[in-house]
Amino acid sequence: MLSKDTGVCIRTVDYSETSQIVTFFTKSTGKIGAIAKGSKRPRSAFDGPIEMFSYGEIVFSDPTKEKLVTLTEFQQHGFTGLTNNLFAFNCCLFAAELLNKLTDDYDPHPELFEGFLHFLQDVNEHQRSSIEHRHILSLLILFQLTLLSEIGLMPVLNACANCKTKYEIQITSDERRATSNEVYFSSSANGMICKDCESNFSDKIKLSPSGASCLINLKQVAQTSERTLKEIEKILISHFTELLGHRPKMAKHILKSSDKRPK
Ligand SMILES: [Zn+2]
């Protein structure tokens, strides 16, 4: 019996000279590992080797029988622009790494599937100009929060995660003059922490007023400065490091490469 689904490739490993083992994140089946026999042969059934982030309809052997299914059909559609922009590509690899590590096989998350595909589409559209680093970073942050929300680990951002006091932050037009109460982020509390509670959480990180404001009102993420986005991404990386028990492999490429200015 064969199964059909829509999937996007989130990992590929060479299996032999002619075959690959591919991890797909699919809409209805969740994450699956598949062997693509002969995919690297010149005339393969998959239009050539399977590329990272290619997506489309896939057909595979009965997943209830074996851990690794056999891929029988895959007409690849790709995001052709992603490899032109190293920062954009690294952000997508980072998102795929987190998706792979934080979801289980055969645990479907259709909305997360749509969210990941939209993320790839948006990054693909915005990768052309190097000035869009800021925009790509904002897309990555929003996807990371979608991922946390979909797997049931959304941090508490609108109130102190410990005492539940609601946050209200007023930001003036000049971010530097913004006045607010002190706000922290703590992975062990899974969210924001107020000044009264911070002493209970040794892993807390203090947020700038604009960083706190963005996390309290996520609509601001799309408009805020690159500096604030880097601050938030740094916090998210340390949060993912806590969740995974190790630092994500791609993390080192995200804050570093966005420092590079276009020539
Ligand atoms: Zn509190």
Side-chain angles (χ1 to χ4, degrees):
M1 197 188 85
L2 294 173
S3 301
K4 240 186 198 180
D5 208 335
T6 311
V8 54
C9 168
I10 58 169
R11 189 166 183 259
T12 69
V13 180
D14 286 344
Y15 178 67
S16 66
E17 274 192 18
T18 55
S19 302
Q20 292 168 290
I21 289 179
V22 181
T23 307
F24 284 104
F25 193 66
T26 70
K27 188 172 184 174
S28 311
T29 320
K31 190 176 70 179
I32 58 170
I35 180 156
K37 287 178 188 158
S39 62
K40 291 161 71 191
R41 287 212 175 93
R43 277 203 221 157
S44 87
F46 317 110
D47 317 321
I50 294 168
E51 307 279 350
M52 276 301 283
F53 310 122
S54 58
Y55 69 98
E57 295 286 312
I58 60 171
V59 181
F60 50 96
S61 62
D62 187 355
T64 56
K65 291 222 173 98
E66 53 220 324
K67 198 172 182 297
L68 208 58
V69 303
T70 302
L71 188 69
T72 59
E73 283 176 46
F74 179 36
Q75 263 221 318
Q76 299 189 59
H77 301 271
F79 295 102
T80 49
L82 289 181
T83 47
N84 299 334
N85 180 324
L86 184 63
F87 180 65
F89 194 63
N90 282 340
C91 284
C92 293
L93 288 174
F94 187 29
E97 179 187 0
L98 295 173
L99 189 60
N100 190 15
K101 288 193 175 146
L102 289 166
T103 56
D104 293 320
D105 287 353
Y106 304 114
D107 180 16
H109 290 279
E111 281 170 23
L112 182 54
F113 172 82
E114 296 294 344
F116 185 59
L117 218 53
H118 278 143
F119 165 73
L120 294 174
Q121 272 157 0
D122 284 348
V123 173
N124 191 50
E125 271 170 37
H126 288 277
Q127 51 73 31
R128 285 185 200 94
S129 64
S130 308
I131 52 162
E132 293 291 352
H133 268 189
R134 194 195 65 79
H135 188 75
I136 290 168
L137 194 55
S138 74
L139 294 173
L140 176 67
I141 288 169
L142 292 173
F143 173 72
Q144 288 169 324
L145 291 168
T146 301
L147 171 62
L148 290 171
S149 165
E150 285 292 328
I151 60 173
L153 293 176
M154 185 65 179
V156 178
L157 299 176
N158 61 344
C160 171
N162 193 49
C163 72
K164 316 295 179 214
T165 304
K166 289 258 178 211
Y167 287 122
E168 279 173 39
I169 289 208
Q170 303 296 324
I171 289 280
T172 60
S173 54
D174 179 356
E175 287 182 357
R176 281 163 302 177
R177 283 194 295 144
T179 51
S180 73
N181 298 319
E182 283 174 33
V183 181
Y184 300 78
F185 185 90
S186 156
S187 280
S188 61
N190 194 38
M192 312 271 260
I193 290 294
C194 75
K195 197 179 164 189
D196 296 336
C197 298
E198 57 93 3
S199 60
N200 300 322
F201 298 92
S202 59
D203 65 339
K204 78 218 158 193
I205 303 167
K206 192 174 179 192
L207 286 155
S208 71
S210 56
S213 176
C214 269
L215 284 175
I216 292 165
N217 180 3
L218 293 174
K219 284 185 187 139
Q220 292 177 13
V221 169
Q223 269 87 43
T224 197
S225 68
E226 188 164 335
R227 204 177 93 195
T228 302
L229 292 176
K230 282 184 182 173
E231 178 194 352
I232 294 172
E233 184 54 33
K234 212 171 155 185
I235 284 169
L236 286 173
I237 287 173
S238 88
H239 188 52
F240 282 116
T241 302
E242 279 303 308
L243 287 176
L244 295 169
H246 62 88
R247 197 171 160 84
K249 256 192 341 197
M250 287 307 297
K252 61 177 180 286
H253 300 288
I254 302 306
L255 296 175
K256 187 187 72 183
S257 53
S258 76
D259 285 336
K260 281 182 197 158
R261 292 274 153 229
K263 279 172 200 161

